[in-house]
Amino acid sequence: MELKRGEFISLVGPSGCGKTTFLNAVAGFVPISDGTLQLDGRNIPGPGPDRAMVFQQPNLLPWRTVLANVTYGLELSTNMPKSEQRDRAHELLDLVGLGDVAHQYPVNLSGGMQSRVNLARALAVEPELLLLDEPFAAIDAQTREVLQVELLRVCAARDVTALFVTHDIAEAAFLADRVCVFGPRPGKIVKEIEVPWERPRTQDLRRSREFLEKCDEIADVLYSSKSAAGSSAQEEH
Ligand SMILES: Nc1ncnc2c1ncn2[C@@H]1O[C@H](COP(=O)(O)OP(=O)(O)OP(=O)(O)O)[C@@H](O)[C@H]1O
Ligand SMILES: [Mg+2]
């Protein structure tokens, strides 16, 4: 798989096929036994500030304010002066629409708001590559659609490249320039599907016939790879 700078790739595939494992490998959290992983032509030696991971659970630190949650990564990984850290965190919180709750504690935020903090926190270290593992899976459908539009806006504003894992086909299609469909474990890319629409994308796109056809195309590849696995598993059995 090859990602171009600024590109948004969605990854879909059956449960247990290795999507999270793949993101963890790209993040440098788990070693790979075969193949190569490179960023700008250099092998990825381990975790680094050029990549940031956004997990499904925001896992914000409850004893820190929203602002202090966003500066946390900077405190750990840089020598940036405190005032500069705070300026950057304020800027990011404004970007994700949470400028007014910077001094609140996580317990006072809704799930969608925590998700936005999670995103701001990942962006604080200014990663080149953002790795997102089902970040909106626990969010209600309506809020999720809003967050998707916001994510695209934030990625464009910061010129980040994104690798986004989801089980939601419409979400994969709405966000991506390209959807990579993984087959069953051990996961391999079965097909890469181009998603042609210009950005910024709007909510209207979701209701269009072309969009629904694109979702069908992705679903066909995904479900046919699953059923192929089911029959080969039965044969083995
Ligand atoms: N390429 C691989 N090499 C070794 N182990 C793998 C590989 N892919 C998957 N696994 C194993 O399969 C398990 C499930 O993989 P993983 O959690 O990455 O799946 P997933 O696609 O993220 O599933 P879900 O959609 O349910 O989150 C892992 O715990 C890991 O042990
Ligand atoms: Mg997973």
Side-chain angles (χ1 to χ4, degrees):
M1 178 193 276
E2 206 171 309
L3 278 76
K4 296 187 204 78
R5 189 176 292 274
E7 203 176 17
F8 199 116
I9 306 283
S10 292
L11 205 63
V12 296
S15 180
C17 73
K19 302 181 294 297
T20 297
T21 306
F22 179 57
L23 286 197
N24 279 330
V26 176
F29 298 150
V30 297
I32 53 170
S33 52
D34 201 3
T36 50
L37 285 166
Q38 295 190 326
L39 191 66
D40 288 335
R42 291 185 305 275
N43 282 344
I44 291 174
D50 48 7
R51 284 146 291 141
M53 186 91 138
V54 179
F55 300 95
Q56 181 176 334
Q57 295 302 331
N59 288 331
L60 302 177
L61 302 172
W63 60 88
R64 282 185 161 234
T65 62
V66 164
L67 189 79
N69 265 280
V70 177
T71 57
Y72 186 61
L74 295 171
E75 289 168 32
L76 292 183
S77 66
T78 66
N79 294 322
M80 189 184 280
K82 285 254 182 271
S83 62
E84 213 174 300
Q85 291 179 13
R86 279 196 295 271
D87 288 349
R88 187 183 287 183
H90 274 300
E91 211 177 287
L92 284 166
L93 287 170
D94 285 340
L95 188 66
V96 298
L98 288 182
D100 56 335
V101 297
H103 300 292
Q104 300 265 0
Y105 285 86
V107 68
N108 296 321
L109 307 186
S110 71
M113 291 161 92
Q114 293 193 22
S115 227
R116 291 189 180 98
V117 179
N118 197 17
L119 181 61
R121 181 174 57 176
L123 290 169
V125 291
E126 301 201 322
E128 287 172 45
L129 181 58
L130 199 55
L131 305 163
L132 305 111
D133 195 6
E134 305 188 45
F136 306 145
I139 307 281
D140 68 273
Q142 222 177 327
T143 309
R144 200 185 316 159
E145 291 195 351
V146 174
L147 288 173
Q148 289 162 6
V149 172
E150 288 186 5
L151 175 63
L152 289 182
R153 184 174 51 75
V154 167
C155 284
R158 295 276 147 160
D159 196 27
V160 290
T161 310
L163 198 50
F164 186 100
V165 168
T166 179
H167 280 284
D168 181 335
I169 289 173
E171 178 170 71
F174 184 76
L175 293 172
D177 298 302
R178 203 160 22 117
V179 177
C180 291
V181 183
F182 267 35
R185 184 176 58 241
K188 279 200 181 118
I189 298 174
V190 185
K191 194 167 181 189
E192 294 191 10
I193 297 170
E194 295 288 330
V195 183
W197 297 292
E198 292 294 310
R199 301 175 185 283
R201 293 183 184 166
T202 62
Q203 302 291 10
D204 292 341
L205 174 63
R206 300 181 205 272
R207 325 292 169 217
S208 71
R209 188 200 174 106
E210 297 79 13
F211 183 78
L212 297 175
E213 283 171 0
K214 184 57 75 176
C215 291
D216 280 347
E217 184 187 342
I218 299 164
D220 283 346
V221 177
L222 183 60
Y223 299 133
S224 63
S225 80
K226 268 189 197 174
S227 58
S231 56
S232 68
Q234 273 169 8
E235 279 160 23
E236 279 170 29
H237 188 66

